[in-house]
Amino acid sequence: LHIVELANMILIPNQIVPWQVFNSRMIRMIKEAKQEQRLFGVIDACSSLLNNEPKFGTTAEIVSFHEEPIDNSLQLKIIGRQRFAIDDPST
């Protein structure tokens, strides 16, 4: 499961969120997930830095996908699916 850390975003199951992606590494990961129809994990980057306890996130599914040729970004809508925990962030 690929994990995406997004600042100040906590995705909740069944919540649909618009998301614009500019980072080329993240764009490759999103395109791969879409092509393979896979879920990916979303965790809040800010809260994950606060302590060494287990991190919690939500799996996400791509609902809509558009490549923006002007700035090479992706315009997405994702939906939260299921909560998960990362017991050992080092793995």
Side-chain angles (χ1 to χ4, degrees):
L1 183 67
H2 289 291
I3 303 292
V4 175
E5 291 183 299
L6 299 177
N8 300 316
M9 182 175 158
I10 298 172
L11 184 63
I12 299 169
N14 297 316
Q15 177 186 30
I16 297 175
V17 177
W19 180 30
Q20 187 170 14
V21 182
F22 294 99
N23 179 294
S24 60
R25 188 176 131 279
M26 201 172 298
I27 287 172
R28 281 193 306 272
M29 187 275 299
I30 295 295
K31 285 182 176 181
E32 183 180 300
K34 180 176 179 357
Q35 181 180 0
E36 297 175 6
Q37 297 181 341
R38 286 186 319 170
L39 300 178
F40 57 94
V42 176
I43 62 173
D44 179 27
C46 294
S47 66
S48 70
L49 299 174
L50 297 178
N51 56 47
N52 291 327
E53 295 184 18
K55 312 301 182 231
F56 296 93
T58 304
T59 57
E61 179 182 349
I62 299 168
V63 176
S64 70
F65 176 97
H66 172 73
E67 292 185 62
E68 186 58 59
I70 295 171
D71 59 6
N72 296 318
S73 68
L74 294 180
Q75 308 288 326
L76 305 169
K77 285 189 182 173
I78 58 174
I79 185 168
R81 288 298 180 199
Q82 183 175 346
R83 300 280 293 155
F84 65 87
I86 301 174
D87 295 328
D88 183 2
S90 65
T91 55

